[in-house]
Amino acid sequence: MFLNYPFTPPFHTLAISNRDDLIALVVFLASSISASLILGKLKIRTAKLQQLSNEGLFLSSLAKDVIRGRNSIDEILHNSKSTFGLREFAVVRKEGIVTNETLEVIFGSIPLITKDISGSQIVLNSEYSLLADPAIIDVDLRNLVTTFGSQILILLEREIFENNEKALSDIRQTDQMRVALLNAVSHDLRGPLSSAKAAISSLMNEHVTWSAADQRELLESSNHSLNQRNH
């Protein structure tokens, strides 16, 4: 309309007197529309590629954190909320039977677990799931968060393994202390018991005839050794 009004005869009207001018305007309009559509599609593709690039960088950074153990699960969940456009993000543990299942938040935060949120949970394994507020419905975003969840599961399994290792280490230390104590007690008891056993064995020897004084001395020696054991 702009080209028609000031530049196409008759001037300053929207009428077109020359057929060639009409064809030129139509061709120009068609070219402009085609260029706009192409540029629009390119803009959408560019935005999509940028999004995929950002998601790839995020997952790559997450993988490095998982390998190095740099950030805790709570920190990772907090940092990922803006990436996924979420208000809240949490890892929950499922308890109870399927028909009466309860969800316990163990990392992150979900103040209120609604039916929509629990119904759209992203399952990590038979015990753990991811919950998001708002509920994740978009298929592409769910796929991305599922990939994210696999990294979180690695961190969970590592933390469980480290906790088990610490528990086993504590048990080993307790056993070592118990063995050391038993060895010490056993060493203290070995001498008195050996003396008592030697005295009694001597008294029971049928090939030796002991006088009353000797028998009393052996019994006193045995009694003294056993008294040491009791102390």
Side-chain angles (χ1 to χ4, degrees), residues 76-137:
I76 292 173
L77 290 173
H78 178 75
N79 296 336
S80 63
K81 287 193 292 187
S82 59
T83 302
F84 299 134
L86 303 172
R87 288 189 298 268
E88 301 294 344
F89 207 16
V91 175
V92 296
R93 179 168 48 217
K94 293 174 281 186
E95 298 180 348
I97 58 176
V98 177
T99 55
N100 192 25
E101 188 178 77
T102 59
L103 300 175
E104 177 191 1
V105 176
I106 57 174
F107 295 105
S109 63
I110 292 282
L112 179 62
I113 301 177
T114 64
K115 188 175 182 179
D116 290 338
I117 291 176
S118 62
S120 62
Q121 63 182 284
I122 295 175
V123 178
L124 302 181
N125 60 15
S126 59
E127 186 176 5
Y128 298 102
S129 293
L130 283 173
L131 290 186
D133 180 18
I136 300 175
I137 301 175

Side-chain angles (χ1 to χ4, degrees), residues 23-34:
I23 295 173
L25 284 175
V26 171
V27 171
F28 182 80
L29 180 61
S31 299
S32 299
I33 293 173
S34 299

Side-chain angles (χ1 to χ4, degrees), residues 4-225:
N4 182 18
Y5 189 80
F7 299 113
T8 305
F11 300 112
H12 306 300
T13 68
L14 295 179
I16 301 174
S17 59
N18 191 324
R19 196 183 86 174
D20 292 340
D21 292 336
L22 177 62
I23 295 173
L25 284 175
V26 171
V27 171
F28 182 80
L29 180 61
S31 299
S32 299
I33 293 173
S34 299
S36 297
L37 292 174
I38 291 172
L39 288 174
K41 289 182 179 180
L42 287 175
K43 185 177 180 180
I44 293 173
R45 288 189 179 184
T46 301
K48 184 65 175 177
L49 289 174
Q50 183 63 44
Q51 179 185 357
L52 292 174
S53 176
N54 293 337
E55 292 171 355
L57 290 174
F58 171 74
L59 292 176
S60 175
S61 174
L62 174 62
K64 291 179 181 178
D65 289 341
V66 171
I67 293 173
R68 298 173 183 174
R70 181 179 299 171
N71 293 334
S72 67
I73 296 178
D74 282 319
E75 290 174 330
I76 292 173
L77 290 173
H78 178 75
N79 296 336
S80 63
K81 287 193 292 187
S82 59
T83 302
F84 299 134
L86 303 172
R87 288 189 298 268
E88 301 294 344
F89 207 16
V91 175
V92 296
R93 179 168 48 217
K94 293 174 281 186
E95 298 180 348
I97 58 176
V98 177
T99 55
N100 192 25
E101 188 178 77
T102 59
L103 300 175
E104 177 191 1
V105 176
I106 57 174
F107 295 105
S109 63
I110 292 282
L112 179 62
I113 301 177
T114 64
K115 188 175 182 179
D116 290 338
I117 291 176
S118 62
S120 62
Q121 63 182 284
I122 295 175
V123 178
L124 302 181
N125 60 15
S126 59
E127 186 176 5
Y128 298 102
S129 293
L130 283 173
L131 290 186
D133 180 18
I136 300 175
I137 301 175
D138 181 74
V139 176
D140 291 336
L141 183 56
R142 283 188 68 86
N143 291 336
L144 177 63
V145 176
T146 300
T147 303
F148 167 84
S150 65
Q151 302 294 325
I152 293 296
L153 185 58
I154 293 174
L155 285 177
L156 278 170
E157 291 174 345
R158 176 189 293 173
E159 184 163 313
I160 293 171
F161 175 78
E162 289 176 351
N163 290 338
N164 290 339
E165 279 291 304
K166 185 177 182 303
L168 287 175
S169 178
D170 293 340
I171 292 173
R172 292 192 191 100
Q173 291 180 0
T174 303
D175 285 342
Q176 289 174 356
M177 292 178 61
R178 185 182 294 111
V179 170
L181 179 61
L182 289 175
N183 288 337
V185 172
S186 172
H187 180 268
D188 291 339
L189 294 178
R190 191 176 296 117
L193 288 176
S194 297
S195 299
K197 185 177 186 317
I200 294 173
S201 297
S202 299
L203 287 172
M204 294 178 64
N205 191 341
E206 297 177 354
H207 302 290
V208 179
T209 302
W210 300 99
S211 65
D214 291 336
Q215 291 178 6
R216 182 171 184 80
E217 183 179 353
L218 287 173
L219 289 173
E220 289 178 351
S221 174
S222 175
N223 184 56
H224 177 71
S225 296

